[in-house]
Amino acid sequence: MIRVIDVLLSIFGLVVFSPLICLVYLIVYAENRSPIFYQERIGLRMKSFLLVKFRTMNIGTGNYATHLVDPKSISMIGKLLRKTKIDELPQLWNVLKGEMSIVGPRPCLISQKELIKARLKLDIYNVRPGITGLAQISGIDMSDPLLLA
């Protein structure tokens, strides 16, 4: 049942937000010629997948967790996209593909060994990762892996 809701909501979101997605795509493209960003993440049953986002950092910025990146690496439009969470809209595609859910624990980077270990102990990888979840609405970021897990 949850999967059906995810599919319906992702289709609805992609259709309703398609004008905004196209506009943001063009704006980010004009800024750096590479508007879409793919990042390897850990998902359901520890299977890796490519998470899709709008690019918010300058090209050449390392593939690190957000809290480890120099704030100067975030582009001008990227600051707005992050603040409004618009950079997350392309993840509706990940939901439609079955790699993510609308609500669930945020998928971690493959480099976040401490978080992966903590989540393994809590059996988190039996849950599909989400675009949003308890950690996001509670203001918990990746700087505290144990609390995030």
Side-chain angles (χ1 to χ4, degrees):
M1 183 64 179
I2 291 174
R3 180 73 187 126
V4 171
I5 293 170
D6 280 342
V7 168
L8 292 175
L9 285 176
S10 62
I11 291 170
F12 178 78
L14 286 167
V15 169
V16 168
F17 292 115
S18 62
L20 178 61
I21 291 169
C22 291
L23 178 64
V24 170
Y25 182 94
L26 293 173
I27 291 169
V28 177
Y29 181 84
E31 184 179 61
N32 65 32
R33 301 285 187 246
S34 182
I36 300 296
F37 177 70
Y38 300 92
Q39 191 173 51
E40 190 174 6
R41 298 285 183 109
I42 304 293
L44 185 64
R45 294 190 250 325
M46 290 201 62
K47 181 180 177 194
S48 67
F49 70 97
L50 292 178
L51 179 120
V52 185
K53 294 179 85 166
F54 281 119
R55 182 176 298 280
T56 59
M57 295 187 213
N58 299 317
I59 294 176
T61 303
N63 193 7
Y64 308 108
T66 300
H67 70 282
L68 298 175
V69 174
D70 182 352
K72 294 179 211 161
S73 298
I74 302 172
S75 68
M76 292 298 285
I77 189 67
K79 291 174 186 169
L80 176 65
L81 295 178
R82 284 172 171 234
K83 186 175 184 175
T84 59
K85 303 297 185 192
I86 292 172
D87 64 321
E88 309 284 347
L89 282 176
Q91 290 172 44
L92 290 169
W93 180 251
N94 290 110
V95 174
L96 191 60
K97 288 173 55 181
E99 298 164 331
M100 293 178 70
S101 185
I102 299 293
V103 177
R106 286 294 291 164
C108 63
L109 297 167
I110 60 171
S111 62
Q112 294 175 301
K113 305 298 183 196
E114 189 177 353
L115 178 57
I116 292 169
K117 185 178 175 181
R119 285 184 167 181
L120 277 169
K121 287 181 183 177
L122 297 171
D123 216 19
I124 299 296
Y125 293 108
N126 286 324
V127 177
R128 198 178 309 270
I131 294 176
T132 190
L134 185 58
Q136 286 71 39
I137 62 173
S138 301
I140 301 168
D141 65 18
M142 293 187 179
S143 63
D144 188 341
L146 296 177
L147 185 59
L148 183 59

